[in-house]
């Protein structure tokens, strides 16, 4: 059980895959690669925030909507390209997908 100050006790069976992935990202110290495809676009701000606090490697099988975050820095490991905005990320993700 997870004790929420707002919702009270919540069974881990009732927590979404995205929240479970964010919890793993937040507390992991091993440098694992996380499947962010389990996360919805509502997880974007938390993924970026965690990435600002520590190196975070995620795997995406879809184009996540980072448009709610004005700027961030990410390395697209497929190509080594560093992106700083949703537009740059989208351009590079499309290039990768077209290959």
């Amino acid at each position: 059980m997870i004790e929420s100050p707002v919702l009270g006790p919540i069974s881990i069976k009732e927590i979404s895959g995205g929240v479970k992935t964010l919890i793993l990202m937040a507390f992991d110290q091993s440098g694992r690669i996380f499947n962010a495809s389990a996360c919805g676009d509502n997880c974007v701000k938390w993924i970026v925030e965690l990435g600002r606090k520590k190196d975070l490697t995620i795997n995406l099988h879809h184009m996540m909507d980072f448009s709610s975050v004005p700027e961030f820095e990410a390395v697209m490991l497929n190509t080594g390209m560093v992106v700083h905005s949703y537009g740059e990320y989208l351009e590079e993700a499309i290039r990768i997908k077209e290959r």
Side-chain angles (χ1 to χ4, degrees), residues 37-49:
S37 292
C39 298
D41 290 336
N42 59 327
C43 294
V44 163
K45 76 176 191 173
W46 301 109
I47 292 170
V48 171
E49 184 66 29

Side-chain angles (χ1 to χ4, degrees), residues 41 43-54 56 58 60 63-77 81-93:
D41 290 336
C43 294
V44 163
K45 76 176 191 173
W46 301 109
I47 292 170
V48 171
E49 184 66 29
L50 289 167
R52 287 184 175 136
K53 293 179 179 179
K54 66 180 186 177
L56 187 62
I58 64 171
L60 280 172
M63 287 186 236
M64 190 168 261
D65 183 358
F66 286 93
S67 63
S68 63
V69 181
E71 58 183 53
F72 56 90
E73 183 172 293
V75 178
M76 307 284 282
L77 293 179
M81 177 77 150
V82 178
V83 296
H84 301 91
S85 67
Y86 177 59
E88 290 179 8
Y89 158 76
L90 204 53
E91 286 176 21
E92 189 64 12

